[in-house]
Structures are given as C-alpha cells and as structure tokens.
Amino acid sequence: MVRTLGVAVVGFGWMGRVHTQAYARVPHHFPGLSLRPELVAVADEVPGRAEEAAAQYGFAAAHRDWREVAADPRVQAVSIAAPNFLHREIGLAMAEAGKHIWIEKPVGLTAEDARAVSDAVTKAGVQGTVGFNYRGAPAVAAARELIASGEIGTVTHVRIRLFSDYAAHPEGALTWRYERERGGSGVLGDLASHGVDLARFLLGEIEALTADTAIFLPRRARPTGATAGHTRATGGELGPVENEDYVNCLLRFASGARGVLEACRVSVGEQNNYGFEVHGTKGAVFWDFRRMGELGVSRGTSYQDQPVSTVYVGPGDGEYAAFQPGSANSMGYDDLKVIEAHHFLRSIAENTPYGATLADAVHSAAALDAMSRSAEQGMWVPLA
C-alpha cells in the first residue's frame, strides 16, 4: 500500500531546487517505494524566493521563516538546504518536532554541531539522511565491492582529489561562505567533507591525519544585496576571507593503508575534478566524477606493466538499473540526489537507515576538525 508523506524544503537556492526535483522524480525511478512525497511547504528568507518556488513546483505553502515549517503538522519530513550556520538550529528544531530530516553537509560548523543534530535525531526516533551524494554513484558502489572482494589485493594507498574553480574569480562576492561565524570552514566543509566520506565508504575508518591549509585569495568585495550560488561583486567594500581555499591531508587508515586527500575551491582550469585512485597489492581502481559511469580497473597477476581497462557500469551496480537499461548509458549529478531521496524515503518507510546517515556526518566533521587542528599545530592528530 502506498501512502503520502508531507515534505518541505528549507532553503531554496540551487540545492533546494535539486532536492525538490529529486522528490518529484523518485516515484518514476523507484515505483516500488511505499511512500509518495507530497510538496507541502517551502521556506526561504530571501523575499519572493519561496513564493516563486511554490508557483513553479507546486508547494502548498510558502514561508519566509523556517519555523513555520517546524510548526506545520502536515510536514513529516524536511530537506535542510539552508546556509551552513543554520544547519544545527534547523536540524534540532525539526527533529524535536518529530520530523525526519534530509540535511546537506556539513551538518553545522563543527563536529559538535553534527553530534548535536545526530543525538536529536536519535532521541526523537526519526530518520536522518546526509547529502554525501558521490557515494551514491553506481561506479563508486562497484569500486567498493571490487575493493572488498580482494580483486586488487590488500589496499596499500589511495589518493582522493576534489578540485574546482567555483571560487577562483577574484570578483567572487564575500558571502557567508567565506566567514568563520556563518560558513565555518571553507573548502574543508564544501569539498573535503565529501572526500572524507568517500575515504571511509571505500576503505573504512581513518585512524590519524595531518593536514596543511592555505588562503590564496585573501580579500573579496562584500555584496550589496541578496546572493545565490557564487555571485560576483565589484565596487563593494573589501573584506577578509576567513576560511581556507585549499587543503592537503595525509591519512592513516585503521586497515594500515595510507592516503592523500587534496581539495581546492580556487583551482583555475579545474571544473568538478573529483575522483580517486585506490591501489592494492594486486591491482588498482580509478574513478573520475566527470566520467561518472566509468571505472579504470587494473587486475590480474602481472603486477609489473599490468594494463588498465575501462569498465562501464551498468545494471547490477548500485542503483544504476533505476535509471538506465544497459551499460554505458550516462547518468548525471541530479540522478545522485534522486538516489539520496530514495534512501531517505526508504529509511522512513522501513524505519531502517539507508545511505549516508548522521553518524557518517559526525565522522566526517570530526575529521575536518582534526584537519583544522593539524594545520594550526603542525602535527598528526589521532581520530577516536
């Protein structure tokens, strides 16, 4: 029997739109799901944005204040896509109101924030899903299975990269993203959080790390009005960039493997260059987000001069079959959020966590805090 679930979206920038579209698409890709999301409410503090969203997507109600969503008994589940500094407050309020939450990373500004939201979700007995979308790529699921099967032997080392240019323009506006009080960390929260999640998803727990960070564009112009995404600003008062543009980090895994994680938001010439290379004693596996449906795989018994083959993922790999009927048909970023939405709704329907959880967010946030401490103190930091 299919039942309706009232959902709301808080924060309607680009990510809020992606969540909304994912809710609309879930029934088409996962027809066996016993829940059907109904768009009940949308909230955004920017004047007119919520009303525009309601008109375009069919939300029943539009609000400036997210607290009206928390008080609405028709809302049973909430997507939290507001700025980082609001994640803890909104997450706690929604969980305490008995609403399931799908929250974007990072969950707050610190590991303490993430733990608080995680504890609130557990106490309320609701489900919590976190926006670590890259682990949902079918090729990543296939790589995880290949690694776990021992086909590449014992993993020795991994390199994870997340390079982008979204903040590379010197006229990029000094929005909340660059402030410690409202944005928390910089590229750590934006990109390295995904890197930590991929590292744990593929190889298990991180035992210790050491990191270095840098700010390459130290001053930006303050915007004169409301902003969305990565707006440019010229002529405004210049202010300091308070969080890091770049991080590199050495990782030690509990398994004994070693790793390198590197992320940058100001890499000119790089657009969403995200991926990993995992090396083992008998082979290797490679993934590039920009070629999302492909894996480079080296396996065999040659060891030296062993070739790498391109493998196209297909039905049987992760959730690929819900989108395409045969190997090498392309998927896109928005499809990964549909997979997340499915995991979220399935978690609610079955009262069992699926996909990335608040516990994963806590682990990622703890690693990010450790990176910050390591960069400040110039030392290895153990992770409990």
Side-chain angles (χ1 to χ4, degrees):
M1 179 178 177
V2 177
R3 61 187 177 94
T4 299
L5 184 81
V7 302
V9 176
V10 174
F12 210 79
W14 168 65
M15 189 54 69
R17 290 178 182 271
V18 174
H19 277 233
T20 302
Q21 290 160 184
Y23 284 129
R25 292 177 57 195
V26 160
H28 303 290
H29 293 283
F30 299 95
L33 189 64
S34 62
L35 289 178
R36 290 292 182 272
E38 179 184 2
L39 300 178
V40 171
V42 58
D44 195 291
E45 65 177 10
V46 176
R49 188 180 283 174
E51 289 77 10
E52 177 188 342
Q56 183 175 0
Y57 292 100
F59 288 96
H63 307 291
R64 287 279 301 277
D65 190 339
W66 59 264
R67 294 170 184 81
E68 295 184 63
V69 172
D72 190 337
R74 299 172 301 168
V75 175
Q76 297 161 283
V78 181
S79 280
I80 301 173
N84 299 350
F85 64 95
L86 294 172
H87 284 191
R88 175 173 178 159
E89 182 181 8
I90 297 174
L92 291 177
M94 296 303 174
E96 289 166 1
K99 304 182 192 304
H100 307 282
I101 63 172
W102 174 13
I103 186 168
E104 278 303 315
K105 54 86 233 166
V107 180
L109 305 183
T110 64
E112 180 185 351
D113 288 347
R115 288 191 190 95
V117 178
S118 180
D119 290 346
V121 164
T122 300
K123 182 178 180 180
V126 296
Q127 296 296 321
T129 293
V130 180
F132 289 129
N133 44 272
Y134 298 109
R135 66 155 61 189
V140 175
R144 186 179 192 227
E145 290 188 9
L146 186 148
I147 292 165
S149 73
E151 285 196 61
I152 65 169
T154 300
V155 172
T156 54
H157 59 101
V158 59
R159 184 171 77 99
I160 299 173
R161 69 187 186 282
L162 299 110
F163 297 144
S164 194
D165 65 355
Y166 63 81
H169 203 290
E171 294 179 359
L174 188 69
T175 65
W176 61 266
R177 294 179 182 277
Y178 303 99
E179 299 174 2
R180 282 287 178 188
E181 184 176 351
R182 297 193 296 165
S185 61
V187 76
L188 286 174
D190 281 353
L191 296 181
S193 57
H194 283 296
V196 171
D197 186 65
L198 283 172
R200 293 184 60 249
F201 186 68
L202 294 170
L203 303 183
E205 297 304 330
I206 299 167
E207 191 172 74
L209 58 80
T210 185
D212 185 32
T213 63
I215 298 173
F216 296 133
L217 293 176
R219 295 176 69 78
R220 295 178 182 271
R222 301 185 186 279
T224 56
T227 61
H230 302 284
T231 306
R232 293 186 191 176
T234 56
E237 179 187 358
L238 292 178
V241 171
E242 297 173 351
N243 50 33
E244 73 291 334
D245 291 324
Y246 171 83
V247 60
N248 66 61
C249 181
L250 299 180
L251 306 170
R252 291 176 183 164
F253 292 87
S255 66
R258 297 297 193 262
V260 177
L261 189 160
E262 191 176 14
C264 186
R265 64 187 181 186
V266 296
S267 296
V268 175
E270 300 280 14
Q271 296 85 39
N272 299 322
N273 181 359
Y274 309 152
F276 56 75
E277 301 100 44
V278 181
H279 295 267
T281 53
K282 296 195 299 183
V285 58
F286 310 89
W287 181 68
D288 186 328
F289 168 65
R290 298 165 301 178
R291 304 171 72 106
M292 193 166 73
E294 300 179 18
L295 283 177
V297 180
S298 178
R299 52 189 163 191
T301 58
S302 299
Y303 299 99
Q304 187 177 2
D305 298 328
Q306 186 163 283
V308 176
S309 300
T310 298
V311 176
Y312 297 101
V313 297
D317 296 317
E319 304 282 10
Y320 184 93
F323 299 86
Q324 299 295 348
S327 299
N329 285 300
S330 297
M331 290 177 61
Y333 178 91
D334 286 14
D335 295 330
L336 301 184
K337 303 308 278 190
V338 176
I339 292 171
E340 268 184 38
H342 172 241
H343 288 159
F344 180 45
L345 296 172
R346 186 181 177 189
S347 297
I348 297 168
E350 300 180 18
N351 196 32
T352 301
Y354 289 95
T357 66
L358 268 299
D360 294 310
V362 172
H363 281 290
S364 177
L368 300 185
D369 283 2
M371 289 181 199
S372 292
R373 292 199 305 275
S374 175
E376 291 172 2
Q377 300 170 12
M379 59 184 290
W380 281 88
V381 177
L383 296 178

